[in-house]
Amino acid sequence: MTRIRTLYELQLIDTQIARLEAALAALDDGTTLRGRVQQAHAVEETARSDLQAGQARLRDLELELQSTVGKATKVEGDLYSGRISNPKELRAMQEDVEALGRQRQRIEEEMLTLMEEVERQLEQIRRLEAERQARDRELDEHLEDYTTRQRALTAELEAARRHREALAAEADPGFLRRYERLRSRKDGVAVTAVNGSVCNACHMTVPEAVLNAARESDDVHTCEDCGRILYVPNE
Ligand SMILES: [Zn+2]
């Protein structure tokens, strides 16, 4: 391989390495999806604790109801036992029974409202759970895909770097230094092929004399317009 051809090969592999590095850096590691998953979990958790609060209140009301019914039964039992004949006392007991009846009604109404609420919350939780599971699956699938791509790109990059190292060892040391300096100044492209008589990098026409010189000697010839090293493929 000629010295210029080696530089050109080096350029190709460096361009490939830059492309692979950019592709690796651009891979989405799932940050956005992970945020959505966490949000879905948080929303579901809130709904579950609301449900638990509702269910706990319902249990309290059930106990309250039992106690109220128990009290009413007892007062009614006394009232109709015939043991008490004092009208004042009987009236007071009658009022107690009525008050307990109103209390019972109030509790039962609250329980009914709460049961509807709990039913609604259960339905909402089923929906949130399904959404959250869909988000979880979405993230899992994304991460699987991400890992596959990342492994493939990393393997490709490692191979390209090994190839690059071998080429750099083959290159003329003086040419290589010049190549590196030019590459850092020229946006990563130090060597460009000539297509017909046009510079592939800047698309300007390369003078015939320069082309001929580049064909005839294995030295560095640069594009007069963009300053890059010219590689003229054999026709
Ligand atoms: Zn050029």
Side-chain angles (χ1 to χ4, degrees):
M1 197 153 40
T2 66
R3 294 186 297 177
I4 296 297
R5 171 74 193 220
T6 305
L7 280 195
Y8 180 65
E9 294 285 335
L10 202 56
Q11 178 65 70
L12 293 181
I13 201 82
D14 275 338
T15 301
Q16 192 196 353
I17 287 170
R19 183 182 58 75
L20 289 168
E21 284 171 343
L24 259 178
L27 279 186
D28 174 7
D29 65 355
T31 304
T32 310
L33 285 180
R34 202 172 285 112
R36 279 191 216 150
V37 165
Q38 279 163 357
Q39 202 190 347
H41 276 270
V43 169
E44 189 186 336
E45 277 315 302
T46 304
R48 283 190 191 280
S49 62
D50 286 351
L51 172 70
Q52 278 165 6
Q55 284 169 330
R57 174 73 186 138
L58 205 51
R59 280 193 298 275
D60 288 347
L61 286 171
E62 270 161 24
L63 292 177
E64 217 180 304
L65 180 64
Q66 277 170 23
S67 144
T68 306
V69 169
K71 276 182 208 159
T73 307
K74 185 178 179 309
V75 177
E76 275 170 346
D78 291 343
L79 184 61
Y80 302 117
S81 66
R83 286 196 303 270
I84 295 145
S85 52
N86 182 330
K88 208 174 162 187
E89 207 177 326
L90 286 171
R91 198 163 55 246
M93 287 168 81
Q94 188 65 50
E95 278 167 12
D96 276 353
V97 169
E98 282 164 16
L100 285 167
R102 286 193 297 276
Q103 194 181 337
R104 177 182 176 161
Q105 199 183 349
R106 209 175 52 241
I107 294 169
E108 282 173 342
E109 277 166 14
E110 194 187 337
M111 282 178 79
L112 203 64
T113 310
L114 208 53
M115 279 190 268
E116 284 168 4
E117 174 70 8
V118 162
E119 194 49 52
R120 198 187 56 76
Q121 285 172 325
L122 278 170
E123 209 171 292
Q124 192 200 16
I125 284 170
R126 277 193 290 273
R127 189 173 53 75
L128 289 174
E129 193 180 30
E131 272 173 34
R132 191 257 304 156
Q133 284 168 343
R135 293 280 183 224
D136 282 341
R137 276 196 302 276
E138 199 183 359
L139 178 62
D140 284 349
E141 281 164 19
H142 177 86
L143 288 180
E144 206 174 304
D145 184 51
Y146 165 75
T147 308
T148 307
R149 281 167 195 262
Q150 195 199 31
R151 281 200 191 124
L153 284 171
T154 303
E156 217 182 318
L157 188 58
E158 279 166 5
R161 282 180 179 149
R162 280 194 299 274
H163 186 188
R164 204 258 177 214
E165 219 175 296
L167 274 173
E170 268 179 48
D172 176 281
F175 278 23
L176 186 60
R177 279 194 296 276
R178 194 162 170 181
Y179 166 83
E180 296 290 13
R181 276 200 305 275
L182 205 51
R183 197 161 67 96
S184 64
R185 284 211 323 269
K186 298 280 177 190
D187 234 359
V189 182
V191 182
T192 175
V194 176
N195 185 12
S197 62
V198 173
C199 166
N200 257 354
C202 71
H203 308 292
M204 300 302 282
T205 302
V206 180
E208 199 56 35
V210 177
L211 278 181
N212 285 334
R215 277 195 197 98
E216 280 157 22
S217 79
D218 189 19
D219 281 319
V220 169
H221 295 88
T222 55
C223 170
E224 291 177 340
D225 289 289
C226 68
R228 294 185 172 91
I229 298 167
L230 295 171
Y231 166 68
V232 185
N234 292 326
E235 277 123 336

